[in-house]
Amino acid sequence: MGSPDGYHYEAQSSDLMRSTVVLAYIHLLYAVEREARDQKLDSAARRTLRQAKAKPVLADLRAYLEREQPQVLPKSPEGQAIAYTLSNWKALVRYCEDGDLEIDNNGAERSLRGVAVGRKNWMFYGSDHGGRTAAVLTSLIATCKRLHIDPFAYLRDIFDRISSHPKSRLAELLPDQWKAGLPSSAPS
């Protein structure tokens, strides 16, 4: 799936005015995210900021798109960009309802870049079980990186402890729980 800003950016060659207006709205939305990041807001405060500043911009953007949609050819680049944006509106505005959600999926795409690069190397794991094991380990490592945990230190500690750890408390060994349980002076 593409992104609304990507489609509108590509449409500049055929409809500079409309695509530039939409990109300006998107720029305003990212300015709200930059403000939240600069102020180091927690998720509740980030949600409040989005409700106050991003939601009105999104409402204006939607009104603009709905007003302009009948004015463009449906198969034109801008017509397709507008249709794509409006058809995915619910997903586009979802981040305003939860301060923990990101405005885009760039972080997820970055974490998958290594998978795309290594795809040919990993084409054959030898068995379904090997593929599942690789998927679990890849997910653990990506989660560690997202949480700013050294994956090697995490895995070394988990492998040292897992044989004696109660099966009923395995969730304690997940990266977020593991990090929360570290002494404050321990490096993560």
Side-chain angles (χ1 to χ4, degrees):
M1 185 156 94
S3 64
D5 59 335
Y7 287 126
H8 290 281
Y9 181 81
E10 291 171 9
Q12 288 183 88
S13 61
S14 66
D15 194 336
L16 182 62
M17 192 269 306
R18 285 185 182 94
S19 58
T20 301
V21 169
V22 173
L23 291 172
Y25 276 116
I26 292 169
H27 179 77
L28 292 173
L29 295 171
Y30 276 92
V32 173
E33 295 305 298
R34 205 169 18 264
E35 181 180 339
R37 195 172 41 256
D38 291 348
Q39 293 181 18
K40 296 179 174 50
L41 299 179
D42 64 13
S43 64
R46 192 158 112 168
R47 181 188 179 281
T48 301
L49 179 69
R50 287 173 175 170
Q51 292 290 311
K53 293 190 173 182
K55 220 165 177 193
V57 172
L58 286 162
D60 287 349
L61 173 59
R62 183 171 187 156
Y64 175 78
L65 293 172
E66 289 173 341
R67 187 174 57 249
E68 293 299 314
Q69 190 173 30
Q71 310 299 319
V72 297
L73 294 172
K75 297 289 185 188
S76 69
E78 188 62 24
Q80 289 179 330
I82 290 172
Y84 177 85
T85 304
L86 290 173
S87 68
N88 289 288
W89 193 258
K90 187 175 179 180
L92 179 67
V93 300
R94 174 68 179 101
Y95 82 100
C96 283
E97 305 302 323
D98 186 338
D100 287 324
L101 296 178
E102 295 296 329
I103 190 172
D104 55 38
N105 65 349
N106 290 343
E109 288 182 5
R110 271 192 307 277
S111 70
L112 291 174
R113 187 170 293 133
V115 173
V117 170
R119 187 173 292 133
K120 285 185 181 179
N121 296 334
W122 306 330
M123 194 175 296
F124 301 101
Y125 279 108
S127 68
D128 287 344
H129 180 70
R132 279 189 295 277
T133 301
V136 168
L137 289 174
T138 301
S139 295
L140 280 173
I141 290 170
T143 302
C144 285
K145 288 179 179 178
R146 186 176 56 81
L147 295 172
H148 306 290
I149 296 171
D150 174 13
F152 182 74
Y154 167 75
L155 290 172
R156 184 179 53 225
D157 184 52
I158 295 305
F159 290 147
D160 285 345
R161 295 171 39 193
I162 197 161
S163 63
S164 61
H165 199 80
K167 188 176 180 181
S168 62
R169 294 180 20 220
L170 282 178
E172 295 172 2
L173 300 180
L174 292 173
D176 59 333
Q177 299 298 311
W178 180 85
K179 183 178 181 179
L182 285 179
S184 59
S185 63
S188 61

